[in-house]
Amino acid sequence: MDFNQSHSVKLNDGHFMPVLGFGTYASDDVPKSKVGEATKIAIDVGFRHIDAAYFYQNEEEVGKAIREKIADGTVKREDIFYTTKLWTTFFRPELVQQGLERSLKKLQLDYVDLFIIHVPFAMKPGEELLPKDANGQIILETVDICDIWEAMEKCKDAGLTKSIGVSNFNHKLLELILNKQGLKYKPVCNQVECHVYLNQSKLLTFCKSKDIVLVAYSALGSQRICGTWLKENSPILLDDPVLGEIARKYNRTPAQVALRYQLQRGIVVLAKSFKKERIKENFQVFDFQLTPEDMKTIDSLNRDFRYTEPAHFKDHPNYPFHEEY
Ligand SMILES: NC(=O)c1ccc[n+]([C@@H]2O[C@H](COP(=O)([O-])OP(=O)(O)OC[C@H]3O[C@@H](n4cnc5c(N)ncnc54)[C@H](OP(=O)(O)O)[C@@H]3O)[C@@H](O)[C@H]2O)c1
């Protein structure tokens, strides 16, 4: 990946994506005002790529923060790269555009830079984010991904989004789209869990071969939110002693090394923090370089460990994590 001066990568549709993104997901117990404050700090310290989603239920606050930073002259709209995601309850060809328009309305923006399929399966449409049946089971549906992709292409043609992509796809699901008859636009990216314990080397090689950018989420070891999809007894990534040792050598922090590692692999990386000092720290990753030996040492930490494995969806035919990559 060649970084240009603004630390961006050229996507396969000609648009540019900043290689370091600010994550905006927080659990329901975090006041929504926090995400707005954090987004403004992120823009102030230099983040230009903001990763969000309809599912996060905070696009009003994130949109307001962006608009305030435009109004006070810190940035122009075109300086910001904003991603939103198609939630599964809009996973019907006739609902895709509506899903994006809902986000735009909350954001009070005319377009997003990137619209991605959040996960490769459908849930029953409706206002509930996780629709459940009388037994408390999430109601899943099977819808053809290629039909959804055509609807995503129409959103790009309508000017509601500059680029389109996917998230949580394995290589077989990506191939379904790439081999689709009459494909108009390739996905520009695949956003997946990726960190030193799950380095996704095979998926990365596949994506690179198709000119699809891999975007890493949970690069700092995920938010470890109890009672959700996090695996129990999962390791604390930023406490890893090897990461700590390398960080000390460069006079950096484990978080900075974990982010820098992804950038040097040609991966676009997301980092979430709502704490000012950490947001600043996470942006300081462009002024040092890990040696090839240190990159190899970090590669060896891989243990194909997934923090987020949504067990409810395991029986769905498009469940992406049964495949090796
Ligand atoms: N496509 C998908 O399905 C998907 C799934 C998950 C995430 N995402 C996206 O990716 C973003 C990032 O992933 P994530 O939310 O799992 O979190 P993450 O970036 O792995 O961060 C995990 C935690 O690390 C802490 N942290 C951040 N910087 C730190 C630092 N410098 N030192 C020590 N601790 C630090 C943060 O806590 P504090 O806030 O307390 O600092 C944060 O909760 C999300 O916010 C979302 O935008 C997408």
Side-chain angles (χ1 to χ4, degrees), residues 85-88 91 96 115-122 143-150 152 164-180 183 185-194 198 200-208 210 212-217 306 308 310 316-325:
K85 310 187 185 89
L86 177 79
W87 186 237
T88 55
F91 207 101
V96 168
F115 185 39
I116 61 183
I117 298 179
H118 203 148
V119 283
F121 40 76
V143 177
D144 189 338
I145 281 182
C146 290
D147 293 343
I148 299 301
W149 189 252
E150 271 178 28
M152 299 286 289
I164 50 176
V166 299
S167 177
N168 295 305
F169 273 43
N170 60 34
H171 80 286
K172 287 201 171 156
L173 291 166
L174 277 170
E175 267 174 345
L176 269 183
I177 295 183
L178 294 172
N179 298 332
K180 182 183 114 44
L183 179 72
Y185 306 116
K186 279 170 41 159
V188 296
C189 72
N190 184 21
Q191 184 183 123
V192 292
E193 181 176 334
C194 181
L198 177 72
Q200 300 275 21
S201 58
K202 288 191 178 165
L203 188 61
L204 177 62
T205 302
F206 177 83
C207 286
K208 281 185 176 172
K210 305 290 179 190
I212 293 171
V213 169
L214 195 147
V215 180
Y217 73 69
R306 212 175 269 288
T308 310
H316 193 280
N318 288 346
Y319 183 78
F321 309 136
H322 295 313
E323 286 294 324
E324 185 195 358
Y325 71 99

Side-chain angles (χ1 to χ4, degrees), residues 41 149 169 199 251 270:
I41 295 167
W149 189 252
F169 273 43
N199 74 18
N251 207 12
L270 305 176

Side-chain angles (χ1 to χ4, degrees), residues 23-25 51-52 56 85 118 167-168 191 217-223 238 255 270-275 278 281-282:
T24 62
Y25 175 69
D51 182 77
Y56 303 166
K85 310 187 185 89
H118 203 148
S167 177
N168 295 305
Q191 184 183 123
Y217 73 69
S218 298
L220 302 174
S222 90
Q223 294 189 41
L238 295 180
L270 305 176
K272 176 266 171 188
S273 175
F274 287 0
K275 297 194 169 82
R278 288 178 176 176
E281 177 187 317
N282 294 345

Side-chain angles (χ1 to χ4, degrees), residues 40 43-44 63-80 108-109:
K40 284 200 270 185
I43 293 173
D44 282 339
K64 184 162 175 276
I66 294 172
R67 284 183 286 106
E68 283 176 12
K69 284 286 123 194
I70 294 172
D72 77 6
T74 309
V75 283
K76 299 194 204 68
R77 171 65 187 90
E78 57 270 29
D79 299 330
I80 296 289
Q108 295 183 42
L109 296 177

